[in-house]
Amino acid sequence: MKKDAVLYMVIPCYNEEQVLPITSKLFIEEIKDLIQKGKISNQSRILFVNDGSKDRTWEIIEELSKENEYIIGICQSRNRGHQNAVLAGLMEAKDIADITISIDCDGQDDIKAMESMVDAYYEGSEVVYGVRSKRQTDTFFKRFTAESFYKLLNKMGAEVVYNHADYRLISSRVLKEFANFHEVNLFLRGMIPLVGFKSSSVYYERHERMAGESHYPLSKMLSLAFDGITSLSIKPIRIITGLGLFVSMLSFIGAIWAVITALLGNSISGWASTVCIVCFMGGIQLICLGILGEYIGKIYMEVKARPRYIISERTWDKDKDNENQ
Ligand code: UDP
Ligand code: MG
């Protein structure tokens, strides 16, 4: 295979004015290094996706794109979340680039691992997952919650690569197939494996954020886990059915026991046990209703099929580019 693929680095940014001036230099260094080594084409670009930031992020991206030919940027019309920002970038790049690498802009993921990813692409992989080899820089709490997150997802039937977040290489061939996945509820790391094609993994160490703060507190992580499960699997609904069967069997046994004690003349007033059972059943029913509601909510959102991202601005003139072609 000729080694002159056009690479687009897709980098979502939300309120990252502190970190962008630092990491943009590292991205430029990497892209120049790869071009110099003859691994990617000179047409490769660093594509920043501003996810409706409230600080100076977009201004910084605009300035960077003026200073450096390798940097371009798109701006979302409002904040839509990390997954939608990555999708916007990938869809923007799919017709121009041969390969894309999505990576966070905070420098936590080892930018140097891109070279191994590109090598794996030339060896035949269409998707290359960046997998964290260690989690030493994370706090115990983050490590524990993140690991439980992957285990739970896999148990629930969402196929995800262990310890892989959204740092991955995707070829334009896979992206073109992926564009046919029209769902609104996005969970990219569970959806990409569904496209198939040959894939491999590259291992790297995750560092601390270079500046600024994480936008993924526990509440957002929980909702991502819940979204991941309910978008990719119907196992929770099956569990509800199983639970329903189990509880009804238990109450059947309970009923027999009640008849026997009544016949033996040992029956007690039974107020406490009745209240306990009523509360327990009420709780279970509410949880089950909640889970069912979650799926119905998802169906509702999918049926509306609203756009998954809206690009309001670009650092270049796309219409002019099209006219020139
Ligand atoms: N991000 C985004 N939109 C959001 C939240 C986050 O585009 O609504 C971006 C953010 O700028 C960063 C990446 O997603 O590049 C990961 O976010 P963060 O580093 O805060 O998460 P963590 O690494 O702590 O899980
Ligand atoms: Mg981060």
Side-chain angles (χ1 to χ4, degrees), residues 68 150 152 313 316:
N68 193 296
Y150 289 102
L152 181 70
E313 275 171 81
W316 73 98

Side-chain angles (χ1 to χ4, degrees), residues 303-319:
V303 166
K304 281 200 272 201
R306 287 185 178 155
R308 297 180 291 181
Y309 57 88
I310 297 170
I311 297 171
S312 60
E313 275 171 81
R314 288 183 171 83
T315 55
W316 73 98
D317 192 346
K318 198 179 185 194
D319 298 331

